Amino acid sequence: SFSSTKVEWRSQLRMLGLSELRKKLGPSFAAYTAALGASVALAAYVLTSRFAEGLKRTLRVKTNVKRLRGILNRYSGNPKVLLLFVAGDDETGESWCPDCRLATPVIYSLLDGRGFTVIEIDVGDKPTWKDPDHELRRSDKFKLTGVPTLMKWGQKGIIARLDSELETCKTTSDVEVFVREFLQP
């Protein structure tokens, strides 16, 4: 650390080899150091602002059943993790499940700017999901009965779930009512 006295300051500058730079630059050395300090301050402000802004963004992580365990391990310490189980896309590029087509965009719009990490799990195509032996139906951890299903995930597993309610929704307003209530702390 630099001392506040001029003599020690100069001796430390010499030790660092900055005295040569100061001689060459003369009065502009002070301007250079001031500009450098301002640049560092500006960079720190931008980075912290972007970081704070990033905390409010919703992170969407798409995965499938096979990769789910690894993804859950990666986000296990995050207190704002939601699991969204949805039906996969058909040949048209849309979800084969009408309930998922209705609810998914509404869920994401309500999460926007709230800083959640949403792990979106594709349960597979229609024949795969309709199989009574589907891995997620038989899982003691998830016990899925339908899609879409939204779950709050914590360090010890599932904290809360919204499932059959989403299947009964007929309008986007119905979805909004259930999801808003579900997201309350």
Side-chain angles (χ1 to χ4, degrees):
S1 75
F2 290 107
S3 173
S4 59
T5 65
K6 280 186 174 181
V7 174
E8 288 180 9
W9 172 259
R10 285 185 185 145
S11 97
Q12 288 179 359
L13 278 176
R14 269 188 235 111
M15 287 175 27
L16 293 173
L18 296 178
S19 60
E20 290 299 314
L21 181 62
R22 185 171 179 228
K23 285 177 189 174
K24 287 180 184 176
L25 295 175
S28 63
F29 181 73
Y32 169 76
T33 56
L36 182 63
S39 297
V40 169
L42 179 62
Y45 170 75
V46 168
L47 289 174
T48 56
S49 297
R50 294 288 164 117
F51 179 72
E53 180 182 309
L55 292 176
K56 295 178 188 171
R57 287 192 180 147
T58 298
L59 175 63
R60 186 176 188 174
V61 179
K62 289 187 165 194
T63 191
N64 57 31
V65 177
K66 290 179 183 171
R67 296 184 303 188
L68 179 58
R69 184 173 291 132
I71 298 286
L72 290 178
N73 288 339
R74 183 178 306 153
Y75 291 97
S76 65
N78 185 335
K80 294 182 83 175
V81 173
L82 299 173
L83 306 181
L84 178 59
F85 295 88
V86 295
D89 295 346
D90 62 15
E91 58 278 347
T92 67
E94 298 236 353
S95 174
W96 56 261
C97 169
D99 298 330
C100 294
R101 287 195 306 268
L102 175 70
T104 302
V106 176
I107 291 168
Y108 279 107
S109 71
L110 292 172
L111 294 175
D112 191 37
R114 298 187 63 180
F116 282 97
T117 297
V118 181
I119 301 172
E120 185 178 310
I121 303 96
D122 179 348
V123 299
D125 61 13
K126 193 171 187 173
T128 302
W129 171 244
K130 295 297 182 178
D131 181 352
D133 289 328
H134 189 287
E135 182 179 342
L136 294 172
R137 291 181 184 276
R138 295 173 33 117
S139 165
D140 289 334
K141 185 184 293 184
F142 299 111
K143 298 178 186 166
L144 284 190
T145 58
V147 288
T149 295
L150 184 63
M151 297 179 183
K152 290 181 183 175
W153 182 259
Q155 289 182 329
K156 296 183 180 185
I158 299 165
I159 298 169
R161 65 188 299 139
L162 187 62
D163 46 23
S164 59
E165 299 89 344
L166 291 174
E167 293 179 68
T168 64
C169 293
K170 301 294 181 220
T171 66
T172 56
S173 298
D174 294 340
V175 175
E176 283 182 24
V177 169
F178 284 117
V179 174
R180 282 186 198 280
E181 184 178 324
F182 179 76
L183 294 175
Q184 295 301 316

